[in-house]
Amino acid sequence: MIPVQGFSDQSVAVLGLGRSGLAAAQALRAGGARAIVWDDSPRGREAAELEGFEVRDLTRPGAFDGIAALIVSPGIAHLYPAPNPVIAAAWDAGVPVDNDIGLFFRSFATDDWDGFDTQPRVIAITGSNGKSTTSALLHHILAENGRPTQLAGNIGRGVLDIEPAHDGEVVVLELSSYQTELARHLTPDVAVLTNISPDHLDRHAGLGGYFAAKRRLFSEGGPDRAVIGVDEDEGRYLANQLVADVSDDRLIRVSVTRKLADGWTVCAKKGFLTENRRGRQVASIDLRAIAGLPGAHNHQNACCAYAAARTLGLGPRGIEAAMRSYPGLPHRSQVVAERDGVTYVNDSKATNVDAAAKALQAFGRIRWICGGLQKEGGLAGLLPHLGSVAKAYVIGREAEDFARQLSGVTASICTTMDHAVAEAMAEAEPGDVVLLAPACASFDQYDSFAARGDHFAELVTDALH
């Protein structure tokens, strides 16, 4: 655990008692603060009481008397589409609002570091798609190359739940826009942006607000090094803002759509990763045979993880060897089974149009299980990428509307995952890929994308055995 610094003998309120909220309360107490907690859920409040925390209804008048700060769980909206009433009350009382990410960055460095031979580093990774795979892959690369490392944030453990740093350790953080938008302290040594596409637009009042939340990772503290995917305008803009000119080695630009001629670049084209520096190619990796990284979208993830590893001085050959042993993440282009020439792939994490489009581009003839709770913007971004779809099997409460938008594609309105899997398996032929890439959130039928992916994998496995 990382004891929170700066609040000794002060009362700090915590709103939301999920994984990050309860860990924040524990870390505050470990640092000498009095954590006062609240959650709308009786179950959350009961769990906190069992941990010995004071539960206070923060919605009542005067609740913020004597409170030094309010720490908010990432799922709680603080500005758009409307401020949470507790957060609004904190504003009115003049109480600073922060989250566990902000607490982490103010508390991670300690006096113990003075005795280390090599200072610990923090690499923070954000983006619309691929940040989980990029984070897990980088963590794997570091571990395989003998570097002490921890993985935390939006993946793995909560940021305050990890162990205090060891000599030379690298902490890899996956950070969502929900986490970056509110943190008062954002000071990673290396910051990575994989890509930007429309997502969580209601939470951020549009694409501009969403990008602004991501951009804070690069602007609040100023990382020593930045890795930026420049295949979208937002990435190109951000890269341009960070350095004086293209030759500045504090920036590595990443692309999987074109060759970047100048500066320090990492690109992937036709399955080959190349690193160029000052006009010369210094390394190349054939990504096509790496089973844990299928498709162009994973090649972008590989480029970002490779670039981040290079900022730490790791050699290309050691990075390549680690990539070849990377097992992949559940629910991200995860091969669940192969039988009679048919491959079954779980990409339940493809919860938006851009992620699903990338999944559709990664395979040949596809029997596509899709649908769920549609996000703002519709499905227009998918239409140019449906050429490999032999048939769509649409699930979710909005299945009929989803199917109507798939012009030119044969679609079966299945509604449930059981029906979709059974029909797709019955119709699949050798060479087909039965792909779950929903392009939608899961909450109309499942608690999470992971629960949806697990159900798909369970149905496939049961049917094949």
Side-chain angles (χ1 to χ4, degrees):
M1 177 168 290
I2 307 297
V4 173
Q5 301 179 36
F7 292 108
S8 181
D9 296 324
Q10 298 182 69
S11 295
V12 178
V14 177
L15 176 63
L17 295 171
R19 183 187 68 158
S20 65
L22 195 56
Q26 293 164 341
L28 283 160
R29 183 164 60 187
R34 293 182 294 274
I36 296 170
V37 303
W38 179 251
D39 194 292
D40 290 338
S41 164
R43 179 179 298 179
R45 299 196 296 268
E46 290 168 6
E49 286 180 327
L50 290 174
E51 293 270 352
F53 292 109
E54 177 186 342
V55 175
R56 180 187 299 180
D57 186 349
L58 297 176
T59 66
R60 293 184 175 178
F64 283 97
D65 293 348
I67 296 295
L70 171 65
I71 309 304
V72 179
S73 294
I76 298 173
H78 74 280
L79 186 56
Y80 302 113
N84 181 279
V86 173
I87 295 173
W91 293 345
D92 292 340
V95 172
V97 179
D98 203 349
N99 63 13
D100 61 330
I101 306 301
L103 295 182
F104 168 83
F105 278 110
R106 72 179 285 165
S107 305
F108 186 52
T110 67
D111 292 339
D112 292 341
W113 291 23
D114 293 339
F116 290 168
D117 292 328
T118 303
Q119 291 290 291
R121 310 286 294 279
V122 177
I123 299 180
I125 298 168
T126 195
S128 299
N129 299 303
K131 57 185 178 291
S132 294
T133 295
T134 301
S135 300
L137 175 60
L138 177 59
H139 176 66
H140 178 79
I141 289 168
L142 292 166
E144 290 294 297
N145 282 272
R147 297 291 293 269
T149 180
Q150 297 186 73
L151 178 65
N154 207 42
I155 187 175
R157 301 168 71 177
V159 292
L160 294 171
D161 194 38
I162 67 173
E163 299 302 317
H166 297 88
D167 193 337
E169 187 164 47
V170 180
V171 174
V172 180
L173 299 183
E174 180 200 337
L175 299 182
S176 72
S177 60
Y178 290 8
Q179 294 169 308
T180 59
E181 70 172 345
L182 187 59
R184 284 175 167 254
H185 302 268
L186 281 170
T187 53
D189 298 284
V190 181
V192 179
L193 176 73
T194 58
N195 51 60
I196 287 287
S197 63
D199 205 2
H200 307 305
L201 299 187
D202 56 340
R203 171 69 177 257
H204 301 292
L207 184 58
Y210 175 60
F211 175 56
K214 298 287 190 184
R215 185 178 182 272
R216 293 189 75 248
L217 183 61
F218 301 83
S219 61
E220 290 301 300
D224 296 333
R225 285 269 172 77
V227 175
I228 307 289
V230 295
D231 288 337
E232 297 87 30
D233 289 342
E234 291 83 1
R236 287 195 287 276
Y237 165 83
L238 182 56
N240 182 265
Q241 290 278 302
L242 290 177
V243 293
D245 58 59
V246 75
S247 65
D248 193 329
D249 275 355
R250 292 174 298 173
L251 170 68
I252 304 178
R253 293 177 297 147
V254 169
S255 177
V256 292
T257 64
R258 66 192 190 282
K259 182 179 179 180
L260 301 172
D262 299 313
W264 193 356
T265 67
V266 178
C267 303
K269 188 174 182 180
K270 296 183 179 179
F272 284 87
L273 179 154
T274 57
E275 177 190 359
N276 287 273
R277 197 167 184 180
R278 296 171 186 166
R280 298 182 59 187
Q281 181 175 308
V282 297
S284 176
I285 297 174
D286 184 354
L287 300 172
R288 295 171 300 176
I290 299 180
L293 298 167
H297 60 305
N298 275 311
H299 295 171
Q300 182 183 59
N301 301 333
C303 286
C304 289
Y306 175 95
R310 292 289 282 147
T311 69
L312 300 176
L314 272 66
R317 297 285 75 81
I319 298 172
E320 179 180 3
M323 284 182 172
R324 296 194 180 283
S325 63
Y326 175 65
L329 279 176
H331 315 298
R332 286 103 170 158
S333 297
Q334 175 192 14
V335 176
V336 172
E338 295 180 83
R339 176 72 64 84
D340 299 329
V342 178
T343 303
Y344 300 88
V345 177
N346 168 20
D347 204 342
S348 184
K349 186 60 172 65
T351 58
N352 59 44
V353 164
D354 186 63
K358 289 175 177 176
L360 291 173
Q361 294 171 69
F363 304 102
R365 182 180 163 88
I366 297 171
R367 298 194 175 272
W368 178 33
I369 299 176
C370 52
L373 190 62
Q374 294 183 59
K375 295 188 175 180
E376 188 175 336
L379 305 180
L382 276 173
L383 300 183
H385 308 290
L386 301 180
S388 58
V389 176
K391 186 175 180 179
Y393 306 82
V394 189
I395 64 173
R397 290 203 305 259
E398 302 175 345
E400 290 189 21
D401 179 60
F402 192 108
R404 277 196 297 269
Q405 298 179 63
L406 300 178
S407 58
V409 172
T410 301
S412 174
I413 298 171
C414 298
T415 306
T416 67
M417 184 72 73
D418 301 70
H419 184 178
V421 169
E423 187 172 332
M425 293 185 76
E427 296 178 353
E429 303 172 357
D432 285 356
V433 173
V434 176
L435 170 67
L436 171 65
C440 293
S442 61
F443 303 122
D444 58 334
Q445 292 180 315
Y446 298 93
D447 290 338
S448 65
F449 73 84
R452 177 174 59 191
D454 287 340
H455 189 204
F456 169 78
E458 178 185 348
L459 291 169
V460 170
T461 301
D462 287 349
L464 294 177
H465 290 85

